[in-house]
Amino acid sequence: MTDPRLSDAVYILPLHTAAEVDPDLEAYLRGLTRHVELVVVDGSPARVFRAHRNRWPRTVRMLHAPTPPPGANGKVVAVNHAVALTTRPVIVVADADVRYGIEELAAAVRLVGTADVVRPQNYFDPLPWHALWDTGRTLVNRVIGSDYPGTLVVRREAFHGHVLRPDVLFENLQTIRMVKALGGTEHRADDLYVARRPCSARHFLRQRVRQAYDSQAQPWRLVAELSLVPLALTVLRDRRRFLGSWLLAMTLAEIGRRRAGGAAVLPATATALAPLWLVERAMTSWLALALRVTGGCPYAGRRVRAAADSTRSLRRALAPTRNLTPTKRSA
């Protein structure tokens, strides 16, 4: 039985792919359409768009992505386009690799009754070597705060008619900060686990510096990551310090793995890989800083300088509307 709250939601999927057939995604979309309004904003080549339209159920509402895109971040452009053409009060935005179960989707939508933006927790399924490596990042993030997933659930009226800035890289952080700047609230659903399909190993390797660039939207984190290189150089001089630091990193990762019942879906193997991820981030953070100095991070054929706006700058920019009386949420 479908949770009646899902009738309040629209599921928006920005898509750009060269693959005409993805059986796993097709099966997932077929399942979703039985429970929730589904809108796919497809920026794929014309032949791929036609293949998708011919294979997918007619209950999938397909939109062409705007061309030329009014901004560097195609995902944000697609979301703005879909939001303008839909009306349901709850907006679920998810990458093409996200795989909600219906119970998890309903739970996320229900949480919008108590907050304006909901941030679930992703985990990888299946787990090739690079997904295990990247899970180390997840564990560390769960210790220092919360992880940023490939999906958010937002109450439409929390936007107060504003659109997302389409020329930043860290769109999920930008969305959360904009909602907060407008007076909204966030719920970090660290115990709501939503599966995610891993990318290819080649794509994973290409994304290492790009992901490190996102930390430039969080100055405290950027400073911490940049400091890892001089810290490592100091620790490597003493074997006991090295082993102690390695064990400390694993201990922190294991705390993150067990937090909020995470051990049920986050593998213990990733705990052992967390120190390696920290080594990776120590190096890529400096490479990302070099990109910032030289004009920005390459993305979709452009150089994008901003990872995300600060909360303070958004509050100043949105000051005329941030004090609007919020619409009463359902209980």
Side-chain angles (χ1 to χ4, degrees), residues 31-252:
L32 280 180
T33 58
R34 294 195 290 266
H35 302 277
V36 67
E37 180 185 359
L38 174 58
V39 177
V40 177
V41 186
D42 197 342
S44 305
R47 63 176 178 79
V48 177
F49 184 99
R50 290 193 298 270
H52 290 164
R53 180 65 288 171
N54 291 335
R55 290 182 61 92
W56 294 347
R58 292 294 165 178
T59 46
V60 178
R61 183 181 178 186
M62 291 189 63
L63 303 175
H64 288 278
T67 53
N73 192 320
K75 175 181 176 180
V76 177
V77 170
V79 170
N80 285 338
H81 185 55
V83 168
L85 296 175
T86 57
T87 60
R88 295 191 189 267
V90 179
I91 300 166
V92 181
V93 179
D95 293 338
D97 57 5
V98 170
R99 296 292 182 270
Y100 275 99
I102 296 305
E103 290 184 3
E104 290 77 25
L105 182 59
V109 171
R110 286 197 299 271
L111 286 172
V112 180
T114 58
D116 296 287
V117 57
V118 175
R119 188 200 314 184
Q121 172 66 65
N122 278 149
Y123 67 95
F124 288 112
D125 180 28
L127 279 164
W129 71 267
H130 56 285
L132 279 171
W133 183 292
D134 208 24
T135 301
R137 168 190 56 83
T138 297
L139 303 187
V140 173
N141 283 344
R142 284 167 63 83
V143 171
I144 63 178
S146 288
D147 197 34
Y148 285 90
T151 178
L152 292 176
V153 184
V154 188
R155 190 170 62 91
R156 178 185 296 272
E157 291 187 355
F159 288 139
H160 293 293
H162 291 279
V163 297
L164 299 170
R165 180 180 170 186
D167 55 353
V168 297
L169 289 175
F170 201 168
E171 69 279 345
N172 280 348
L173 178 59
Q174 180 78 7
T175 301
I176 291 169
R177 285 180 173 175
M178 191 179 87
V179 168
K180 288 183 174 180
L182 288 164
T185 57
E186 175 196 9
H187 180 83
R188 297 181 179 182
D190 293 333
D191 58 348
L192 178 56
Y193 297 97
V194 179
R196 190 172 191 177
R197 299 291 186 251
C199 62
S200 68
R202 178 179 297 181
H203 185 72
F204 168 80
L205 293 172
R206 287 200 303 261
Q207 289 289 304
R208 305 335 301 145
V209 178
R210 156 70 184 83
Q211 286 191 2
Y213 199 94
D214 285 344
S215 292
Q216 296 183 32
Q218 303 171 85
W220 64 268
R221 181 176 182 129
L222 177 62
V223 170
E225 291 175 355
L226 291 173
S227 69
L228 288 173
V229 167
L231 178 62
L233 293 175
T234 302
V235 167
L236 286 172
R237 297 173 183 174
D238 186 300
R239 181 180 299 178
R240 287 175 298 180
R241 287 184 180 179
F242 172 77
L243 291 175
S245 299
W246 197 272
L247 290 173
L248 176 60
M250 288 182 59
T251 300
L252 291 175

